[in-house]
Amino acid sequence: MNRREFVKTSVTGLSTAGVLRAAEAPARPVVISSANGLKATNKAMKMIRRGEDTLDAVVAGVNLVEEDPNDQSVGYGGLPNEHGVVQLDASVMHGPTHGAGSVAALEGIKTPSRVAKLVMERTDHVLIVGEGAREFALAMGFQNEDLLTDEAREIWLKWKSQLNPNDDWINPKDRVSGSGLGGENVNLERILKYHGTINCNAVNAKGDISGVTTTSGLSFKIPGRVGDSPIIGAGLYVDNDVGACGSTGRGEANLKTCASFMVVEYMRQGLSPEEAGLRVLKRISENTVEPYLRDETGRPNFNVLFYVINKKGEFAGVSMYSGRQYAVHDGEVNQLCDAAYLYEAKDALE
Ligand code: GLY
């Protein structure tokens, strides 16, 4: 049976009898994350083993990546919007209390996941955006900082220089010595838009589950654009009776399908993490009808990945296209694993 037949079989073979019971707890804790989260899974697992709360653990894990200037998809060092301003989105969910908090288009604060957690803990709201989110963070004692690193600024300038051959922006590499601007020897390295993000979900030995998703969003986005990461049900969903799912990749696709919520609901109906994730990827693929979002074979020309755990500690990383990995600490080993996939990739897709 090839992969596509397997997906078809498993997706149609939905069990109605396999509803997870709240009493089903894993034999050992599990922490799963996107591939940029190997240090996050390690940190979160250490905290969970010490008996700390699953949400405290995953947030502390992703803070390592948010504060890392070398990760250009998240927090400090994230790629900016069209105007060169870093705007961050994040959400958290705490399974035992069914708590949720999120921030969107937040500027000047390195760790939006911690602000999202405080929205959950210190307000009666779920989502605070823009200047209101920044003021809330400052009131909570966060420092306002410049999040645009020199490296991210250079990438943004290079992107600007490639927008329109007739504008006044120049990529210094395109200056050909002695021949003025541009010229036949120009060798442009195209800067593509990029949906980098980190998601991290954990289940402890009692079966308590939490998750966090945090991102600088789509690089060079229209200012104020909000992706799926801070939207509960799209970029993250946790149900303490069932499991958790978070996502990276094209946020607009997840927003239009309430994707993470749907993955968790399919697990509630009895699908495994892998089956549930692949089923929602299939739905996204079927719903992608816009010609500009489809390749020459009619498939989506973008990627979406889900990081899924259930209450029993079963887990899967699933991707629309092959060749992608995810990070998981299964209670014994912290490692990168190959994600299951819906389609074989012809080219590298984000
Ligand atoms: N999934 C991240 C974003 O689209 O903003």
Side-chain angles (χ1 to χ4, degrees):
M1 188 187 291
N2 68 28
R3 169 116 228 139
R4 291 183 70 189
E5 285 165 344
F6 165 75
V7 170
K8 213 170 152 200
T9 306
S10 58
V11 162
T12 50
L14 176 64
S15 158
T16 50
V19 178
L20 294 174
R21 294 185 309 276
E24 287 179 320
R28 53 177 184 246
V30 175
V31 185
I32 191 168
S33 177
S34 38
N36 53 348
L38 204 53
K39 59 187 172 187
T41 48
N42 195 45
K43 168 90 181 175
M45 182 57 76
K46 276 189 185 154
M47 290 177 64
I48 287 170
R49 281 183 175 146
R50 289 199 299 259
E52 296 187 50
D53 180 76
T54 47
L55 184 56
D56 289 340
V58 292
V59 169
V62 300
N63 287 166
L64 298 175
V65 183
E66 288 176 323
E67 288 167 347
D68 179 355
N70 296 317
D71 189 309
Q72 284 157 349
S73 67
V74 179
Y76 178 55
L79 292 176
N81 67 18
E82 195 174 276
H83 294 174
V85 177
V86 179
Q87 286 187 326
L88 304 175
D89 298 338
S91 63
V92 300
M93 282 194 83
H94 184 239
T97 55
H98 202 66
S102 60
V103 289
L106 172 64
E107 296 177 14
I109 310 292
K110 273 184 178 172
T111 51
S113 64
R114 289 177 55 214
V115 185
K117 185 165 179 281
L118 285 165
V119 171
M120 180 188 91
E121 291 169 346
R122 302 289 294 270
T123 80
D124 184 37
H125 306 319
V126 171
L127 171 59
I128 304 181
V129 308
E131 186 54 17
R134 198 179 69 87
E135 284 173 7
F136 172 77
L138 296 178
M140 290 290 136
F142 287 80
Q143 297 297 311
N144 193 66
E145 294 174 82
D146 182 2
L147 304 185
L148 188 65
T149 58
D150 285 345
E151 202 182 355
R153 188 171 46 77
E154 282 302 330
I155 295 170
W156 169 66
L157 286 172
K158 195 167 176 183
W159 172 77
K160 273 176 90 72
S161 74
Q162 295 172 348
L163 283 181
N164 177 350
N166 299 317
D167 68 21
D168 296 328
W169 290 90
I170 299 162
N171 181 347
K173 280 195 186 156
D174 299 338
R175 245 180 225 281
V176 178
S177 175
S179 66
L181 303 180
E184 288 168 10
N185 299 335
V186 169
N187 181 16
L188 279 183
E189 184 198 331
R190 218 55 221 148
I191 301 287
L192 299 173
K193 287 193 166 233
Y194 170 75
H195 298 91
T197 300
I198 180 167
N199 163 252
C200 186
N201 307 312
V203 57
N204 68 15
K206 285 195 303 187
D208 282 338
I209 306 166
S210 293
V212 56
T213 304
T214 177
T215 187
S216 50
L218 176 66
S219 57
F220 322 127
K221 59 196 171 187
I222 295 173
R225 176 265 187 189
V226 172
D228 59 321
S229 304
I231 305 302
I232 300 300
L236 177 69
Y237 196 70
V238 175
D239 185 313
N240 213 50
D241 288 341
V242 180
C245 175
S247 184
T248 60
R250 182 177 159 80
E252 283 72 10
N254 288 334
L255 284 165
K256 291 201 286 185
T257 49
C258 299
S260 292
F261 176 76
M262 204 190 309
V263 170
V264 172
E265 289 307 296
Y266 279 138
M267 290 196 290
R268 190 193 303 279
Q269 292 171 18
L271 268 64
S272 71
E274 181 173 321
E275 289 166 343
L278 288 170
R279 189 165 188 171
V280 175
L281 289 171
K282 189 164 178 280
R283 177 77 68 91
I284 289 173
S285 177
E286 287 163 359
N287 286 358
T288 304
V289 295
E290 302 90 330
Y292 77 96
L293 291 175
R294 304 193 70 98
D295 69 14
E296 63 288 352
T297 67
R299 290 177 179 168
N301 61 14
F302 55 83
N303 210 353
V304 169
L305 294 100
F306 297 125
Y307 312 95
V308 194
I309 52 172
N310 68 18
K311 195 167 179 71
K312 292 187 283 188
E314 296 166 337
F315 59 86
V318 298
S319 171
M320 183 78 78
Y321 286 99
S322 62
R324 299 302 300 265
Q325 293 195 303
Y326 64 101
V328 65
H329 199 316
D330 64 3
E332 289 186 348
V333 184
N334 190 40
Q335 62 186 336
L336 290 175
C337 296
D338 292 338
Y341 57 89
L342 198 57
Y343 302 128
E344 199 77 48
K346 290 190 296 292
D347 304 304
L349 277 169
E350 182 193 325

